[in-house]
Amino acid sequence: MSKKTFTSPDVPAPDILRCAYMELVVTDLAKSREFYVDILGLVVTEEDEDAIYLRSFEEFIHHNLVLRRGDEAAVAAFSYRVRSPEDVDRAEAYYQALGCETRRGDFTKGIRNALRVVDPLGFPYEFFYEVDHVERLAWAYELQGAGALVRLDHFNQVYPDVPFGADYLADLGFRKTEQIADENDVTYAAWFARKSTVHDTALTGGSGPAMHHVAFATHEKHNILYICDKLGALRQSDKIERGPGRHGVSNAFYLYLRDPDGHRVEIYTQDYYTGDPDNPTVTWDVHDNQRRDWWGNPVVPSWYTDASRVLDLDGNLQPLQERTEAKEIDVTIGADGFSYTRKGDAVAGFKLGEQV
Amino acid sequence: MSKKTFTSPDVPAPDILRCAYMELVVTDLAKSREFYVDILGLVVTEEDEDAIYLRSFEEFIHHNLVLRRGDEAAVAAFSYRVRSPEDVDRAEAYYQALGCETRRGDFTKGIRNALRVVDPLGFPYEFFYEVDHVERLAWAYELQGAGALVRLDHFNQVYPDVPFGADYLADLGFRKTEQIADENDVTYAAWFARKSTVHDTALTGGSGPAMHHVAFATHEKHNILYICDKLGALRQSDKIERGPGRHGVSNAFYLYLRDPDGHRVEIYTQDYYTGDPDNPTVTWDVHDNQRRDWWGNPVVPSWYTDASRVLDLDGNLQPLQERTEAKEIDVTIGADGFSYTRKGDAVAGFKLGEQV
Amino acid sequence: MSKKTFTSPDVPAPDILRCAYMELVVTDLAKSREFYVDILGLVVTEEDEDAIYLRSFEEFIHHNLVLRRGDEAAVAAFSYRVRSPEDVDRAEAYYQALGCETRRGDFTKGIRNALRVVDPLGFPYEFFYEVDHVERLAWAYELQGAGALVRLDHFNQVYPDVPFGADYLADLGFRKTEQIADENDVTYAAWFARKSTVHDTALTGGSGPAMHHVAFATHEKHNILYICDKLGALRQSDKIERGPGRHGVSNAFYLYLRDPDGHRVEIYTQDYYTGDPDNPTVTWDVHDNQRRDWWGNPVVPSWYTDASRVLDLDGNLQPLQERTEAKEIDVTIGADGFSYTRKGDAVAGFKLGEQV
Amino acid sequence: MSKKTFTSPDVPAPDILRCAYMELVVTDLAKSREFYVDILGLVVTEEDEDAIYLRSFEEFIHHNLVLRRGDEAAVAAFSYRVRSPEDVDRAEAYYQALGCETRRGDFTKGIRNALRVVDPLGFPYEFFYEVDHVERLAWAYELQGAGALVRLDHFNQVYPDVPFGADYLADLGFRKTEQIADENDVTYAAWFARKSTVHDTALTGGSGPAMHHVAFATHEKHNILYICDKLGALRQSDKIERGPGRHGVSNAFYLYLRDPDGHRVEIYTQDYYTGDPDNPTVTWDVHDNQRRDWWGNPVVPSWYTDASRVLDLDGNLQPLQERTEAKEIDVTIGADGFSYTRKGDAVAGFKLGEQV
């Protein structure tokens, strides 16, 4: 059980609109460009020798992803847009009241007067309002390939103490939409939303702070299947880590890829509306074999174990804290773990027994 | 040009979450049930001899549509959910300050302590917070047919003076996302959102107050095509009024049906995120032949001319006011109107010339 | 009623495999290339100043379409592949026995020792076996756009006397799969297959010999919708003549485009297997409003009235013969015609009355 | 290397049209009915206490699948339709010349005067022409669920000596369309077609004669995804053995299920046209990790090891012969095997290393 408790700073939290972009440090900008632009088809808003600013087809702000050249692959920022310039000030006051390190400034092209902080969990968070508008290419079908990415959907963060992190995110105004737990009140993962989808970010229990994945949305499931087909045609099918499949959590259709640095990217479509304040939180049993894949297909171990390191405001790697509670991989797979398709059904499915 | 101006009541508007349900008066409950339940597959939450309460598959509140038996087909309520019980009170004060007739009470099963008003445009609007939660059937694929309706998406209202209506809706907190206008500043239609889609409601210029359509969303385009295929198989293809097609406005894929009383129902999927306060408003030229159908397919005249009457709080038909400004049907079709595929291109497309 | 009867030549017909390619004469090769290559995405096998050889993604023979530069838009050949070199000889003997003009030779790049004839209906038919194999790009997803054309599906020919043409095609070994007729035994159109789809060619009653359309297949319906979306984005939606929709006849999903010369191209997907010799022939009532479009959407008049001229073996336009029997457009639309959604239902659908 | 050679009987082979139906022996008819009818949605043509006759939505012959109650799960017949009654006689003469046991008669409802044989590989094959026609439900969309099975696509047979089996099937008139082999001329599997798809049957190297799977086709990929979603909703996701995925071989989209007796059923869509006599045969390297799944997702071991037993004409289990050549599972997975994503690339993909 989590012992640490989050103390609300007693100053108002900023009004967060949505996850807006992630800044990734990549070790070979040309290789990353090939992955994100040539293969995945993200739109280049702007680029120079050090960085590429990318957006999805339905975006009207400057970027949803920054690839910045660096020596070590990592995540430099999880960035959220807030409702007004004043909300950036509110964010500054909020994190200062929490005793977090904060900085104001223009950290990327296209965005001005942003706030960057190392949050209470150790993640580099950004909040901004001022941003250049660019052309929304929603109608530009002549530019959209068969696997067009139309929106940034969410982040996913790895952190050891999910309940502590959940309290912090709740204080910051996020609604918890779903979670994975067990009968002993251990929480393995939880999902948090500001916009009216299942999440803007999620916490996955594990050694952290670390970045589990960043997710882009397509319109339909066949768009995701096409991305797989294209990777096969390019003989890069080993970029596919897990899926495609249907999530239990979120009910979305998914695919997990690994970029040239190993950063995990999810392609995602069709979760549900969560915008009401009393939106019911869904709790999944960690032993339910359909929680992570509704079709019961196995989760590859790397999906549980690998994550990207995150940076502090000076660009140094944040140290990792180990998870002390039970780990999802241990309680569900292998000699000491178990999963069921039907609760109470003694028979393990043949897939589980044979695959791991 | 619109002369009438909307005066803000100087009390705060309620915080509206989303369009939540429409109450339709239907003349033959059995026939309407066949249409909405047997054909379209909406989920019956509850029903009795006088009314059927229906919801979409991803809904967790009691209903998204009420079919109530009556002598004359009409619309009894456009109902919105607000963020809190206090917002219902705020709505009451807001409309009373506007001099509108208001009533508090339980107007349908499953919803308590709602406010109904006749709004400044003459529409029967409802606002509520308290509602029974029911099972969200998002994961119940065994119940979902090939054309599953997963969400209520929006209303569309017919009203003569679009700019006046737009001022009122803006005061009520709606963001204007798109509009159709001409070079003389005549506005033919406009779209308004509270949730982060293109609209929760829209105003279509014409004789009103009247109801143009109510729209439900599917996940994918093939779900909409299936509904057409099924109507063909049932020899009810004459229930299809317009489409399927791709809208210019909203960029969504659409289909318009007419229910047994002639109420228009849209099936709709895949518009874009509009939740940022500075979301760009898109203005379409009324002469752009791709504004209503991105593929340039003709709009059937009935789509412009037909609408459902709306009721006051006593169940009497609201009188209609004629539109005095130019009408979209007149300026775009036929001898006195024109449309273009490419602005400045003298040649009218063969489709236009030959079809109408 | 048709009086003319087809007399079988008493020599064996060739064993035809499938429709293989059409040779189109186009007046502006660059414009046609833009349409077929840049917009529709057909694969260029080979091209020079006078001709472009195109194929679909799953094809392994040299081409499915030849665009040849000429002064007047027309069709130079409807070409079929036969089972063996001997079948080309059989075709030659067959047509010579019928008294038709025949020529042997290499009429296009990539194909050798073909036979061209002017058939008993006046159409320029070709039969060949010897052909260059090229790479089948079925797995080349990195080259395939969202609207990828994967196969040539069929031809459609306009001819005044459908029963006479049907007798000829039956003698040539085609199975009649579907037809449109009325209660007076007038046949308005019929469909004919060698491969196991609904057709390799069809006869549409009208002034002929003329070419109604050539059809390419996609894998899924969304591929066809994307082509419409792309044409909209390119402001070329006026290239869409009819559809997209679901056919009654063939049960396929369809779209009709017009190329820069007005040649009609269908994009088509998902008809059914017809390869058994006793495959049931489906007969549609000409007054059934779902025969041409299962959703009852109107057929634009140009679709009935326009067709491409065909050439003789010297490249001269074949003269047109008028249809003398009742015409489908006349018996179904307008003051003298009628269509029904439900046979015996007196009420014409609102769509028909309002649209034409 | 295979030593056994197939000797052609010097009487003509029958003209086979297509795989037509499989007769499965099932141990619990009610459970099997639930799987094939309630879950997969096959159409019941006829049923009694001992057998259920099922067909797909586009079929016009009496059945594509017979479920017959028995004590031991097995396959009683792989049945092909031939072009004419005379072809049944030809089949009889052909197999008698081969020294095979043959029987003529009415083995199932709806089919008359069929031939059953134990073929040279030990499989119970049937050939028939005379069959009851039933309604083709292609247009009956009101009956078709979201995962509608529209055609029987193919059989897949397990047999130790693939080259010997291939020679026999070639003699019987099948075209070999694809195969999996290695640099030592070991053939691991091969695909054979009569109709113009990639196969009517296939040979998978292994202990046989046995039945690997029977495959039904859907129109689109989302139909297959829906079947997975529905199995999840019914808490029967453990019926999913492998997939969904994209095959390398055949380029089709696939899913493998196991019925209540463990019989394997594939759901399959979108392979390519193979009807030309010189259709190129595709050879895949057994070490190519994209041959079985184009996305490089792992094949579960049960898919290689499990198969259904087949019966002789008296209903007794045919004895199994072991495969003596190298096995695909051994040469591709685990300590002694290897697979590559890019030939010559030393690095094994992380998926392989981590999953098995």
Side-chain angles (χ1 to χ4, degrees):
Chain A
M1 285 273 284
S2 172
K3 298 293 189 321
K4 210 165 48 163
T5 53
F6 177 79
T7 307
S8 177
D10 274 328
V11 299
D15 186 349
I16 298 172
L17 293 167
R18 54 163 171 148
C19 63
Y21 81 91
M22 184 176 279
E23 180 176 339
L24 288 177
V25 179
V26 300
T27 59
D28 184 327
L29 204 52
K31 272 196 187 165
S32 293
R33 193 187 197 285
E34 186 199 353
F35 180 75
Y36 288 102
V37 178
D38 299 340
I39 297 178
L40 292 184
L42 285 170
V43 179
V44 179
T45 297
E46 200 169 345
E47 62 187 320
D48 58 29
E49 286 184 8
D50 292 318
I52 307 177
Y53 296 82
L54 300 170
R55 72 183 192 275
S56 53
F57 279 99
E58 294 184 359
E59 188 54 80
F60 74 97
I61 64 170
H62 188 267
H63 55 259
N64 298 129
L65 186 69
V66 179
L67 307 175
R68 186 174 305 283
R69 194 168 50 178
D71 291 335
E72 188 154 19
V75 178
F78 298 74
S79 182
Y80 296 90
R81 192 161 194 225
V82 294
R83 187 168 297 277
S84 68
E86 293 70 36
D87 283 298
V88 183
D89 301 336
R90 267 177 217 117
E92 190 169 15
Y94 180 86
Y95 283 101
Q96 287 177 348
L98 281 169
C100 297
E101 188 185 356
T102 65
R103 294 197 194 160
R104 283 297 277 273
D106 300 356
F107 302 99
T108 65
K109 293 192 179 180
I111 290 176
R112 284 165 302 284
N113 201 18
L115 173 78
R116 286 201 171 178
V117 307
V118 174
D119 80 359
L121 312 188
F123 286 93
Y125 262 35
E126 181 184 274
F127 302 88
F128 72 92
Y129 174 77
E130 293 176 57
V131 62
D132 289 347
H133 286 204
V134 291
E135 189 185 3
R136 176 173 255 156
L137 294 167
W139 291 265
Y141 291 102
E142 80 282 15
L143 303 178
Q144 297 179 21
L149 304 182
V150 296
R151 281 189 288 278
L152 175 74
D153 194 86
H154 62 263
F155 308 139
N156 188 307
Q157 309 171 236
V158 184
Y159 186 69
D161 186 341
V162 175
F164 179 79
D167 287 347
Y168 155 58
L169 289 172
D171 193 72
L172 200 49
F174 285 84
R175 298 180 306 283
K176 182 163 69 175
T177 55
E178 304 205 18
Q179 58 186 345
I180 294 175
D182 67 15
E183 63 285 7
N184 303 317
D185 273 338
V186 176
T187 303
Y188 295 86
W191 285 257
F192 304 93
R194 283 295 305 174
K195 67 175 155 37
S196 57
T197 63
V198 170
H199 51 322
D200 286 280
T201 195
L203 294 179
T204 298
S207 297
M211 189 275 284
H212 194 272
H213 63 263
V214 56
F216 288 90
T218 64
H219 276 304
E220 302 204 333
K221 296 183 287 291
H222 63 80
N223 301 119
I224 293 181
L225 302 179
Y226 173 80
I227 292 170
C228 298
D229 288 338
K230 184 176 180 180
L231 284 164
L234 295 170
R235 286 285 159 183
Q236 298 204 35
S237 64
D238 50 354
K239 292 258 189 311
I240 299 173
E241 183 187 33
R242 181 185 155 206
R246 167 78 65 190
H247 282 309
V249 173
S250 83
N251 202 26
F253 193 79
Y254 73 87
L255 170 71
Y256 292 100
L257 305 176
R258 300 291 289 270
D259 88 355
D261 283 296
H263 295 309
R264 188 179 289 107
V265 178
E266 183 177 16
I267 319 294
Y268 180 97
T269 194
Q270 294 162 22
D271 59 7
Y272 55 89
Y273 170 84
T274 65
D276 285 15
D278 55 347
N279 180 71
T281 302
V282 180
T283 299
W284 297 80
D285 182 347
V286 73
H287 299 293
D288 180 348
N289 193 38
Q290 295 187 181
R291 76 198 181 290
R292 290 284 185 189
D293 184 278
W294 186 243
W295 310 335
N297 280 336
V299 177
V300 293
S302 64
W303 191 90
Y304 283 123
T305 57
D306 296 2
S308 296
R309 298 293 295 272
V310 304
L311 302 179
D312 65 17
L313 301 187
D314 295 315
N316 301 313
L317 290 180
Q318 283 285 79
L320 294 176
Q321 259 183 283
E322 287 294 313
R323 176 172 170 89
T324 57
E325 290 177 297
K327 293 178 187 169
E328 187 170 343
I329 187 170
D330 295 333
V331 301
T332 58
I333 300 180
D336 300 326
F338 70 96
S339 294
Y340 58 81
T341 300
R342 288 167 293 281
K343 191 161 190 175
D345 191 335
V347 183
F350 64 91
K351 282 189 294 187
L352 301 172
E354 299 227 26
Q355 283 231 346
V356 183
Chain B
M1 286 274 284
S2 171
K3 298 294 189 320
K4 210 164 51 162
T5 54
F6 177 79
T7 308
S8 177
D10 273 329
V11 298
D15 187 348
I16 297 172
L17 293 168
R18 53 163 171 147
C19 63
Y21 81 90
M22 183 175 281
E23 181 177 339
L24 288 177
V25 179
V26 301
T27 58
D28 184 326
L29 203 52
K31 272 195 186 166
S32 293
R33 193 187 197 285
E34 186 200 351
F35 180 75
Y36 288 102
V37 178
D38 299 340
I39 297 178
L40 293 184
L42 285 170
V43 178
V44 178
T45 297
E46 200 169 346
E47 61 186 322
D48 59 28
E49 286 184 7
D50 292 319
I52 307 176
Y53 296 82
L54 300 170
R55 71 183 192 274
S56 54
F57 278 99
E58 295 184 0
E59 188 54 80
F60 75 97
I61 63 169
H62 188 267
H63 56 258
N64 299 129
L65 187 69
V66 179
L67 306 175
R68 186 174 305 282
R69 194 167 49 178
D71 292 334
E72 188 155 20
V75 178
F78 299 74
S79 181
Y80 296 90
R81 192 160 193 225
V82 294
R83 187 168 297 279
S84 69
E86 293 70 37
D87 283 298
V88 183
D89 300 336
R90 266 177 219 116
E92 190 169 15
Y94 180 86
Y95 283 101
Q96 286 177 348
L98 281 169
C100 296
E101 187 185 357
T102 65
R103 295 197 194 160
R104 281 299 276 272
D106 301 355
F107 302 99
T108 66
K109 293 193 178 179
I111 290 177
R112 283 166 302 285
N113 201 18
L115 174 78
R116 285 201 172 180
V117 307
V118 174
D119 80 358
L121 313 187
F123 287 93
Y125 261 35
E126 181 184 275
F127 301 89
F128 72 92
Y129 174 77
E130 292 177 57
V131 62
D132 290 346
H133 286 204
V134 291
E135 190 185 2
R136 177 174 254 156
L137 294 168
W139 291 265
Y141 291 102
E142 80 282 15
L143 303 179
Q144 297 179 22
L149 304 182
V150 296
R151 280 190 288 277
L152 176 74
D153 194 85
H154 63 264
F155 308 139
N156 188 306
Q157 310 171 235
V158 184
Y159 186 68
D161 186 340
V162 175
F164 178 78
D167 287 346
Y168 154 58
L169 289 172
D171 194 70
L172 200 48
F174 285 84
R175 298 180 304 283
K176 183 164 69 176
T177 56
E178 305 206 18
Q179 59 187 345
I180 295 176
D182 67 15
E183 64 285 8
N184 303 317
D185 272 338
V186 176
T187 304
Y188 295 86
W191 284 257
F192 304 93
R194 283 294 305 174
K195 66 175 156 37
S196 58
T197 63
V198 169
H199 51 323
D200 286 280
T201 195
L203 295 178
T204 299
S207 297
M211 190 275 285
H212 193 272
H213 63 264
V214 56
F216 289 89
T218 64
H219 276 304
E220 302 204 332
K221 297 184 286 290
H222 63 79
N223 301 119
I224 294 181
L225 302 179
Y226 173 79
I227 292 170
C228 298
D229 288 339
K230 185 176 180 181
L231 285 164
L234 295 170
R235 287 284 160 183
Q236 299 203 37
S237 65
D238 50 354
K239 291 257 189 312
I240 300 172
E241 183 186 34
R242 181 184 155 207
R246 167 78 66 190
H247 281 310
V249 173
S250 82
N251 202 25
F253 194 78
Y254 73 87
L255 170 72
Y256 291 100
L257 304 176
R258 300 291 288 270
D259 88 357
D261 283 296
H263 295 309
R264 188 179 288 107
V265 179
E266 183 177 15
I267 319 294
Y268 180 96
T269 194
Q270 294 163 22
D271 59 7
Y272 56 89
Y273 170 84
T274 65
D276 285 16
D278 55 345
N279 180 72
T281 302
V282 179
T283 299
W284 297 80
D285 182 346
V286 73
H287 299 293
D288 180 348
N289 192 38
Q290 295 187 181
R291 77 199 181 288
R292 290 283 186 189
D293 184 278
W294 187 243
W295 310 336
N297 281 336
V299 176
V300 292
S302 64
W303 190 89
Y304 283 124
T305 57
D306 296 2
S308 296
R309 300 291 296 271
V310 304
L311 301 180
D312 66 18
L313 301 187
D314 296 314
N316 300 313
L317 290 180
Q318 283 284 80
L320 293 177
Q321 260 182 282
E322 286 295 313
R323 176 172 170 89
T324 56
E325 291 177 296
K327 294 178 187 171
E328 187 171 343
I329 187 170
D330 295 333
V331 302
T332 58
I333 300 180
D336 300 327
F338 70 96
S339 293
Y340 57 81
T341 300
R342 288 167 294 280
K343 191 161 192 176
D345 190 336
V347 182
F350 63 91
K351 282 189 293 186
L352 300 174
E354 299 228 25
Q355 282 231 344
V356 183
Chain C
M1 286 272 285
S2 172
K3 298 293 192 316
K4 210 163 52 161
T5 54
F6 177 78
T7 307
S8 176
D10 275 330
V11 299
D15 186 349
I16 297 171
L17 293 167
R18 55 165 171 145
C19 62
Y21 81 91
M22 184 175 280
E23 181 177 340
L24 288 178
V25 179
V26 301
T27 58
D28 185 327
L29 204 51
K31 273 195 185 165
S32 293
R33 194 186 195 287
E34 186 199 352
F35 180 75
Y36 289 103
V37 179
D38 299 340
I39 297 178
L40 293 184
L42 285 170
V43 178
V44 179
T45 298
E46 202 172 340
E47 61 186 322
D48 59 27
E49 286 183 8
D50 292 319
I52 306 176
Y53 296 81
L54 300 170
R55 71 183 192 276
S56 53
F57 278 98
E58 295 184 0
E59 188 53 82
F60 75 96
I61 65 171
H62 189 267
H63 56 259
N64 299 129
L65 186 69
V66 179
L67 306 175
R68 187 174 302 284
R69 194 166 52 178
D71 292 335
E72 188 156 21
V75 178
F78 298 75
S79 180
Y80 296 90
R81 192 161 193 224
V82 294
R83 186 168 297 278
S84 68
E86 294 70 35
D87 283 298
V88 183
D89 300 336
R90 267 178 217 116
E92 188 168 18
Y94 179 85
Y95 283 101
Q96 287 178 347
L98 281 169
C100 296
E101 188 184 356
T102 66
R103 293 197 195 160
R104 283 297 277 272
D106 301 355
F107 302 99
T108 65
K109 293 192 179 180
I111 290 176
R112 286 164 300 285
N113 201 19
L115 174 77
R116 286 201 172 180
V117 307
V118 173
D119 82 358
L121 313 187
F123 287 93
Y125 261 35
E126 181 184 274
F127 302 88
F128 72 93
Y129 174 78
E130 292 177 59
V131 63
D132 290 347
H133 287 204
V134 290
E135 189 185 2
R136 177 173 255 156
L137 294 168
W139 291 265
Y141 291 102
E142 80 281 17
L143 304 177
Q144 296 179 23
L149 303 182
V150 296
R151 281 189 288 278
L152 175 73
D153 194 87
H154 62 263
F155 307 140
N156 188 306
Q157 309 171 236
V158 184
Y159 186 68
D161 186 341
V162 175
F164 178 79
D167 287 347
Y168 154 60
L169 289 172
D171 194 71
L172 199 50
F174 285 84
R175 297 180 307 283
K176 183 163 69 177
T177 55
E178 304 205 19
Q179 59 187 344
I180 294 174
D182 67 16
E183 64 286 6
N184 303 317
D185 273 339
V186 175
T187 304
Y188 295 86
W191 284 257
F192 304 93
R194 283 296 303 173
K195 65 175 156 37
S196 56
T197 62
V198 169
H199 52 321
D200 286 279
T201 196
L203 294 178
T204 299
S207 296
M211 189 276 283
H212 193 272
H213 64 264
V214 56
F216 289 90
T218 64
H219 276 304
E220 302 204 334
K221 296 183 287 291
H222 63 80
N223 302 119
I224 293 181
L225 302 179
Y226 173 80
I227 292 170
C228 298
D229 288 337
K230 185 176 179 180
L231 285 164
L234 295 169
R235 286 284 159 181
Q236 299 203 35
S237 64
D238 50 353
K239 291 256 187 314
I240 299 173
E241 184 187 32
R242 181 186 155 206
R246 168 77 66 188
H247 281 311
V249 173
S250 82
N251 201 26
F253 193 79
Y254 73 86
L255 170 71
Y256 292 100
L257 305 176
R258 300 291 290 269
D259 87 357
D261 283 296
H263 295 309
R264 186 180 290 106
V265 178
E266 183 178 14
I267 317 295
Y268 180 96
T269 193
Q270 295 164 20
D271 61 6
Y272 56 89
Y273 170 83
T274 64
D276 285 15
D278 55 345
N279 180 72
T281 302
V282 179
T283 299
W284 296 80
D285 183 346
V286 73
H287 299 292
D288 180 348
N289 192 38
Q290 295 186 182
R291 76 200 181 288
R292 291 284 186 189
D293 184 279
W294 185 244
W295 310 336
N297 281 335
V299 176
V300 293
S302 64
W303 190 91
Y304 283 124
T305 57
D306 297 1
S308 296
R309 300 293 296 272
V310 304
L311 302 179
D312 67 17
L313 302 186
D314 296 315
N316 301 314
L317 290 180
Q318 283 284 81
L320 293 176
Q321 260 182 281
E322 287 294 314
R323 177 172 168 89
T324 56
E325 291 178 295
K327 293 177 188 171
E328 189 170 342
I329 187 172
D330 296 333
V331 301
T332 57
I333 300 180
D336 300 326
F338 70 96
S339 293
Y340 58 79
T341 300
R342 288 167 294 279
K343 192 162 191 176
D345 190 335
V347 183
F350 64 90
K351 282 189 294 188
L352 299 174
E354 300 228 25
Q355 282 231 343
V356 182
Chain D
M1 285 272 284
S2 172
K3 298 294 189 320
K4 208 164 52 161
T5 54
F6 177 79
T7 307
S8 176
D10 273 329
V11 298
D15 186 348
I16 297 171
L17 293 168
R18 54 164 171 147
C19 63
Y21 82 90
M22 184 175 281
E23 180 176 338
L24 288 178
V25 179
V26 300
T27 59
D28 184 327
L29 204 51
K31 273 195 185 165
S32 293
R33 193 186 196 287
E34 186 199 351
F35 180 75
Y36 289 102
V37 179
D38 299 339
I39 298 178
L40 292 184
L42 285 170
V43 179
V44 179
T45 298
E46 201 169 345
E47 61 185 322
D48 58 28
E49 287 184 6
D50 291 320
I52 306 176
Y53 296 82
L54 300 169
R55 71 184 192 274
S56 54
F57 278 99
E58 295 185 0
E59 187 54 80
F60 74 97
I61 65 170
H62 189 267
H63 56 259
N64 298 130
L65 186 69
V66 179
L67 306 175
R68 187 174 303 283
R69 193 167 52 178
D71 292 335
E72 188 154 21
V75 178
F78 298 74
S79 182
Y80 296 90
R81 192 160 193 225
V82 295
R83 185 168 299 280
S84 68
E86 293 71 36
D87 284 298
V88 183
D89 300 336
R90 265 177 218 118
E92 189 168 18
Y94 180 85
Y95 283 100
Q96 287 178 347
L98 282 169
C100 296
E101 188 185 355
T102 66
R103 294 198 194 157
R104 282 298 276 272
D106 301 355
F107 302 99
T108 65
K109 292 192 179 179
I111 290 176
R112 286 165 299 286
N113 202 17
L115 175 77
R116 286 200 171 179
V117 307
V118 174
D119 82 356
L121 312 187
F123 287 93
Y125 261 35
E126 182 184 273
F127 301 89
F128 73 92
Y129 174 77
E130 293 176 59
V131 63
D132 289 346
H133 287 203
V134 290
E135 190 185 1
R136 176 173 255 156
L137 294 168
W139 291 264
Y141 290 102
E142 80 282 15
L143 304 178
Q144 296 179 22
L149 304 182
V150 296
R151 281 190 288 277
L152 176 75
D153 194 86
H154 63 263
F155 307 140
N156 189 306
Q157 310 171 236
V158 184
Y159 186 68
D161 186 340
V162 175
F164 178 78
D167 287 347
Y168 153 59
L169 289 172
D171 194 70
L172 199 51
F174 285 83
R175 298 180 306 283
K176 183 163 69 178
T177 55
E178 305 205 19
Q179 59 187 344
I180 294 175
D182 67 14
E183 64 286 7
N184 303 317
D185 273 338
V186 176
T187 305
Y188 296 85
W191 285 258
F192 304 93
R194 283 295 304 173
K195 65 176 156 36
S196 56
T197 63
V198 169
H199 51 321
D200 286 280
T201 196
L203 295 178
T204 299
S207 296
M211 189 276 283
H212 194 271
H213 63 264
V214 56
F216 288 89
T218 63
H219 275 304
E220 302 204 332
K221 296 184 286 291
H222 63 80
N223 302 118
I224 293 181
L225 302 179
Y226 173 80
I227 292 170
C228 298
D229 289 336
K230 185 176 180 181
L231 285 164
L234 295 170
R235 286 284 159 182
Q236 299 203 35
S237 65
D238 50 354
K239 292 257 188 313
I240 300 173
E241 183 186 33
R242 181 186 155 205
R246 168 77 66 189
H247 282 310
V249 172
S250 82
N251 201 26
F253 193 79
Y254 73 88
L255 170 72
Y256 292 99
L257 306 176
R258 300 291 290 270
D259 87 357
D261 283 296
H263 295 309
R264 187 180 289 107
V265 178
E266 183 178 14
I267 318 294
Y268 180 96
T269 193
Q270 294 164 21
D271 61 6
Y272 56 89
Y273 170 84
T274 65
D276 286 16
D278 54 346
N279 179 73
T281 302
V282 179
T283 299
W284 297 80
D285 184 346
V286 73
H287 299 293
D288 180 348
N289 192 38
Q290 295 186 182
R291 77 199 180 290
R292 290 284 186 189
D293 184 279
W294 185 244
W295 310 336
N297 281 335
V299 177
V300 293
S302 65
W303 190 90
Y304 283 124
T305 58
D306 296 1
S308 297
R309 299 293 296 272
V310 304
L311 303 179
D312 67 16
L313 302 187
D314 295 315
N316 301 312
L317 290 179
Q318 283 284 79
L320 293 176
Q321 259 183 282
E322 288 293 315
R323 178 171 168 89
T324 57
E325 291 178 295
K327 292 177 188 171
E328 188 170 342
I329 187 172
D330 296 333
V331 302
T332 58
I333 300 180
D336 299 327
F338 71 97
S339 293
Y340 57 80
T341 300
R342 289 166 293 280
K343 192 163 191 175
D345 190 335
V347 183
F350 64 90
K351 282 189 295 188
L352 300 172
E354 299 228 25
Q355 282 232 343
V356 183

